[in-house]
DNA sequence: GTCAGAACGTGCAGTGACTGCAAAAATATT
DNA sequence: AATATTTTTGCAGTCACTGCACGTTCTGAC
């Protein structure tokens, strides 16, 4: 029944089954919503497609949407650790740039799942809001990490929160662009371009540098 | 019954009543949620506190949350118009800075409402996510306005979306800081400081300039 | 291998957000 | 005043989501 199961078995059969069930629910949710839309899919159908009872769905995900666009807690912690481990004295904006560039490849790794996610998210805009809405907590945690790095007090000093929210906005913008783009340009390129503009004070660039379109003249 | 009604009566009694009802629902929702929390307050209670039927609540707001943190459509349109009406050739970041400064005083006008909103949003983090999620649409509209101004195509050019999301993030950060601050410093000051840093490429400032704390030494 | 204990899955009943529909009430128009 | 239009309201219904109790499945010790 659990045929194509990975060889890794970290903490017994029980955890492995949970992992499989979680994955089945995610996949079933994405596929069904991709076909029938968000409103046209009930949690009951998702549960049935994944081979579990309706009640069990909510043992794995708090909301229907979280099965579709839920974030990976481990990844978030890894990013925060990366922020803290950057060389002392490095400018905060550079820190964010480098960390996001570093993790861009991780994000691009399982592009299949991401592609399906993006596809579903594009068809159901409320999901995109959901994704970005969750970023408030993220902004805050990043602000704390930056404050810690720079020896500032994020309760009284507006700078860490500003850098965090602006850097995250820049990254979101780049990821969004990359996700809806047809071109095969790597995510890291879009992120680098965004942070370059940020560091320069957002001057108006000559032309769209992130797309495949090249200027005919110059 | 409609005692303290403003003197403006743009389109008859009907519209005025709707305005009052909408405001009553907003206020009732904020107060009740402030007391009992988001989960501890039902739409039925909100409707009752505002003096309308439960069904009517949903004639005014699509969700319970939107009554708490929903954006004012008129204000949004006014801001977008202001963006378009800035002098041609003005750098986009400057445009955003000036428009947000211009509207800072409007925002600060009903500080009571905003303070209550922030308070409620802080106590119920899921609302913050909601706010952030809704700002996706706003980011997009600003991006379109900037693209229009600069003669760029916001479908292929990442620049307008970047400026929009980053500028909006900076404003949100400033408003948030201002809202939770005890000091009487004007909102416009916080916004101006944030945009100054943005235009300079987010260099690390000497010390917290937005707070009342002054350095003892230098 | 067996047995206790914990963790997990499942059914049941319930709350509450939200919707469509049609009748009643309020308001605008002539 | 009579009529047309808009708004409010009640009603019935769907569905996301929750607590609880019970059965099932795994784990660890003997």
């Amino acid at each position: 029944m659990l045929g194509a199961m990975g060889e890794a078995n970290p903490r017994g059969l029980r955890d492995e089954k949970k992992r499989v069930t979680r994955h089945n629910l995610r996949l079933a949710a994405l596929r069904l919503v991709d076909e029938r839309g968000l409103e046209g899919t009930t949690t009951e159908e998702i549960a049935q497609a994944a081979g579990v009872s309706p009640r069990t769905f909510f043992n794995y995900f708090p909301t229907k949407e979280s099965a579709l666009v839920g974030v990976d807690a481990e990844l978030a912690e890894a990013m925060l650790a990366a922020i803290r481990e950057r060389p002392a004295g490095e400018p905060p904006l550079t820190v964010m740039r480098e960390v996001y560039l570093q993790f861009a490849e991780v994000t691009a790794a399982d592009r299949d799942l991401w592609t399906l996610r993006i596809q579903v998210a594009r068809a159901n805009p409320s999901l995109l809001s959901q994704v970005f809405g969750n970023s408030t907590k993220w902004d805050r945690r990043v602000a704390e990490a930056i404050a810690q790095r720079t020896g500032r007090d994020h309760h009284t000093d507006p700078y860490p929160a500003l850098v965090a929210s602006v850097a995250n906005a820049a990254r979101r913008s780049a990821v969004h662009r990359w996700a809806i783009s047809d071109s095969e340009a790597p995510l890291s390129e879009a992120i680098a371009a965004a942070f370059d503009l940020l560091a320069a004070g957002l001057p108006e660039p000559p032309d769209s540098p992130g797309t495949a379109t090249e200027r005919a003249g110059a």
Side-chain angles (χ1 to χ4, degrees), chain A:
Chain A
M1 191 180 186
L2 308 173
M5 192 175 284
E7 56 282 343
N9 200 337
R11 270 206 288 267
L13 184 87
R14 189 166 264 170
D15 284 343
E16 188 59 25
K17 273 184 128 177
K18 284 179 71 174
R19 206 187 293 285
V20 170
T21 300
R22 179 173 236 96
H23 182 251
N24 286 345
L25 281 171
R26 275 217 169 92
L27 210 58
L30 282 169
R31 284 178 178 157
L32 283 177
V33 172
D34 187 37
E35 288 175 7
R36 312 180 191 175
L38 184 60
E39 305 299 303
T41 310
T42 67
T43 58
E44 200 172 338
E45 293 169 331
I46 296 172
Q48 187 179 0
V52 296
S53 77
R55 184 64 182 85
T56 297
F57 177 89
F58 291 103
N59 287 344
Y60 281 87
F61 299 100
T63 67
K64 178 165 72 169
E65 287 79 7
S66 62
L68 299 165
V69 294
V71 292
D72 190 336
E74 293 181 19
L75 192 62
E77 293 306 323
M79 282 188 174
L80 288 172
I83 292 175
R84 296 195 205 90
E85 287 163 8
R86 294 294 304 179
E90 190 172 43
L93 193 59
T94 306
V95 170
M96 297 310 299
R97 177 202 160 102
E98 294 306 318
V99 169
Y100 281 152
L101 278 180
Q102 173 184 339
F103 279 87
E105 298 171 12
V106 175
T107 302
D110 41 7
R111 188 164 186 168
D112 299 347
L113 193 62
W114 276 101
T115 303
L116 192 52
R117 272 185 180 157
I118 296 292
Q119 188 172 336
V120 167
R122 288 187 71 193
N124 307 80
S126 70
L127 281 179
L128 263 186
S129 300
Q130 198 90 13
V131 176
F132 294 152
N134 290 340
S135 66
T136 308
K137 303 185 198 77
W138 177 243
D139 279 1
R140 189 187 164 129
R141 301 222 45 199
V142 171
E144 287 168 0
I146 291 178
Q148 188 180 334
R149 276 184 55 85
T150 54
R152 289 165 176 271
D153 180 6
H154 72 281
H155 292 295
T156 62
D157 191 340
Y159 180 71
L162 177 64
V163 173
S165 64
V166 164
N168 291 343
R171 176 185 177 241
R172 272 196 302 274
S173 184
V175 172
H176 185 258
R177 172 70 38 181
W178 170 78
I180 69 176
S181 168
D182 296 331
S183 82
E184 288 297 326
L187 171 59
S188 56
E189 189 179 294
I191 291 178
F195 275 86
D196 286 347
L197 280 170
L198 253 195
L202 288 173
E204 203 169 341
D207 208 337
S208 42
T211 60
T213 314
E214 287 202 79
R215 303 187 68 179

